[in-house]
Amino acid sequence: MAIFEPLGAPNRWQPSALAAGPFAGLQGGAVASLLAAEVEAMAGVRNWGSAISAAAWFLRPTPMTELRTQLAVVTEGGRVSVVDNTLWPVGEEQPCATVRVTLSRERAIEVPGFSAPETDVVDPLQFPVRTLHAVQGRVWFMDAMEARLGGDAAWFRMHHSVIADAGPLSRVLGPADWTHGIGRPVQNVIADPNPNLFVQLVRPPQGEWVGVRAEAGWRPEAGLGVGSGVLLDAHGPIGRVSMSVILVPFSKPEPASRPGSAAN
């Protein structure tokens, strides 16, 4: 089952329960993956090459409803193409998210004296399964993947495609969106949503696993932070991820009224 299913008309999508986030609306990583996947699906037809980076902005929560998207080519031709893709709920005019994807045709270049560093192959199955940011009582985006923590990284394996025949970059964006949560300085005391997500790939991932070697920096006095990290597959680094973080106190539960007291 795909996380988003086409509705029959071009650029129309129905999210499944697996696209949900922990709070209101859909998970940002799921939304970014959908928008990038549509661009990647067109890359072969338009001869854009491979998607090498994505810059996503989450403008407001995306509701669990029918969605429409619209692609806009910023530039194409030569070696590099840039394509925007924006998402709206069907029937609404205010967008919820937009992604800018950069694509490039590969071209072999000989660089005298350069050799790629060798790395040991890692088997994420050796590490224990972990549940990150658990949501109780309903299905959500984390249920679309398996997570394991071990070594110096968190490892993710998607069990569902974002859309049918999703490309390499869109497969990375979902795991990459957890970076700020993996490296957060403290746990379960404050919310830290990310209003954006930036991913650059030096090569597509090999195999099913995507790893994140994460770190974070917070400024509680300003309510701001950043998350960043190295992206990995079992054979070594594949790119980098970064995002801004907005620190938000958890909502406090309303105190229970005493018997006989009047509500304000």
Side-chain angles (χ1 to χ4, degrees):
M1 181 181 76
I3 297 171
F4 294 88
E5 294 289 348
L7 288 174
N11 307 111
R12 296 291 182 99
W13 301 94
Q14 177 63 55
S16 75
L18 290 170
F23 304 112
L26 306 188
Q27 178 71 25
V31 171
S33 297
L34 167 65
L35 294 174
E38 281 196 290
V39 176
E40 288 185 288
M42 290 187 64
V45 177
R46 301 289 287 267
N47 194 27
W48 289 334
S50 302
I52 60 173
S53 74
W57 291 269
F58 308 119
L59 309 175
R60 64 185 179 107
T62 300
M64 181 68 73
T65 188
E66 295 182 8
L67 304 170
R68 65 181 177 93
T69 59
Q70 182 174 323
L71 281 74
V73 176
V74 179
T75 183
E76 67 178 329
R79 190 170 176 187
V80 174
S81 297
V82 179
V83 182
D84 290 347
N85 198 9
T86 303
L87 175 145
W88 297 260
V90 170
E92 297 188 20
E93 297 300 322
Q94 183 181 357
C96 291
T98 187
V99 168
R100 173 162 288 187
V101 178
T102 301
L103 308 101
S104 179
R105 302 190 192 104
E106 294 187 7
R107 181 183 302 164
I109 302 293
E110 291 187 11
V111 181
F114 174 81
S115 60
E118 294 185 3
T119 59
D120 295 329
V121 177
V122 176
D123 180 9
L125 289 174
Q126 69 182 296
F127 303 126
V129 175
R130 291 292 299 271
T131 300
L132 303 178
H133 308 285
V135 169
Q136 302 296 327
R138 62 178 174 86
V139 174
W140 70 305
F141 189 51
M142 194 64 220
D143 294 310
M145 65 187 78
E146 174 184 347
R148 294 176 180 263
L149 296 181
D152 58 355
W155 294 91
F156 301 89
R157 176 165 61 176
M158 298 293 297
H159 292 312
H160 300 267
S161 297
V162 60
I163 63 173
D165 301 321
L169 177 62
S170 61
R171 290 198 299 111
V172 171
L173 288 173
D177 191 47
W178 296 117
T179 299
H180 62 307
I182 300 166
R184 61 201 325 267
V186 294
Q187 301 291 333
N188 301 322
V189 297
I190 202 165
D192 58 341
N194 55 307
N196 51 41
L197 174 65
F198 306 106
V199 167
Q200 296 86 31
L201 295 183
V202 67
R203 63 175 177 85
Q206 300 180 48
E208 298 179 303
W209 291 95
V210 173
V212 183
R213 187 182 298 142
E215 61 181 21
W218 282 11
R219 288 184 58 222
E221 72 277 10
L224 301 173
V226 295
S228 63
V230 177
L231 296 171
L232 312 157
D233 65 8
H235 301 273
I238 61 172
R240 297 198 63 89
V241 56
S242 63
M243 67 264 286
S244 301
V245 173
I246 307 298
L247 303 180
V248 182
F250 284 135
S251 299
K252 295 181 179 179
E254 293 291 332
S257 299
R258 294 191 304 271
S261 64
N264 292 329

